[in-house]
Amino acid sequence: MLILRATEPLTPGHGTKTATTLALGLCTAYTIAATVASIPAGRPADRLGARGPLLVLTAGVAAFAASYGLFAVSSTAVAVLAIPFVLAGVGIGAVETAQHSAVAALAPKDLCGSAFGLLATVQSLGDLAASAVAGILWAAFSPSAAFAYLMVWMLPALSGLALTARR
């Protein structure tokens, strides 16, 4: 089993096996954070009426914005790199819970399946567009440019959600 200090940098000198182990560990941290955040994120979505899903969605988008910002400027130390992975996990746990809660609460019962299908379509198209542009920025400029781009898109989403949730 590979053991690294949390402050040890991820450098090419570690080799493929170490890089793979570290990547799996960071992805596991993301998945655990998403799992742990999902159920608690559902409680306010259920208990706060129509504003609940908006508040949870706002918190999730804020976690994504912070995550992308940290990815754009973070070091390669494992402990520092783990922070944006965990924040992204919390973000996805909150966002997916809130989106599904909102659709279930707001869609007419006879169109619920279609509403969830529309949500999946919008998510997929958004993922495709964001991934394509971020990939181009990553390849043409740097990973920091890609994550900065993603963070910038989170800011108007965050502002719009915060304003809507206040009403």
Side-chain angles (χ1 to χ4, degrees):
M1 166 148 250
L2 172 70
I3 298 174
L4 291 175
R5 293 187 318 266
T7 57
E8 192 170 338
L10 299 173
T11 61
H14 284 303
T16 303
K17 183 176 179 181
T18 301
T20 302
T21 301
L22 292 171
L24 289 172
L26 291 169
C27 288
T28 300
Y30 165 87
T31 303
I32 290 169
T35 302
V36 169
S38 295
I39 291 175
R43 293 188 198 278
D46 290 339
R47 295 184 180 166
L48 298 175
R51 285 186 60 211
L54 283 172
L55 294 171
V56 173
L57 191 57
T58 302
V61 169
F64 271 129
S67 174
Y68 293 149
L70 289 171
F71 276 130
V73 299
S74 92
S75 76
T76 57
V78 177
V80 175
L81 196 54
I83 295 167
F85 270 90
V86 170
L87 279 171
V90 169
I92 198 68
V95 165
E96 286 191 351
T97 298
Q99 288 174 338
H100 290 91
S101 176
V103 168
L106 300 173
K109 297 303 173 205
D110 60 328
L111 295 176
C112 204
S114 296
F116 276 107
L118 179 60
L119 173 63
T121 300
V122 170
Q123 287 173 328
S124 296
L125 291 173
D127 289 347
L128 177 64
S131 296
V133 173
I136 291 167
L137 290 171
W138 184 300
F141 299 102
S142 70
S144 292
F147 285 112
Y149 162 80
L150 296 170
M151 184 198 64
V152 166
W153 273 106
M154 291 291 112
L155 298 178
L158 185 57
S159 297
L161 287 165
L163 288 173
T164 303
R166 292 176 95 188
R167 294 183 186 155

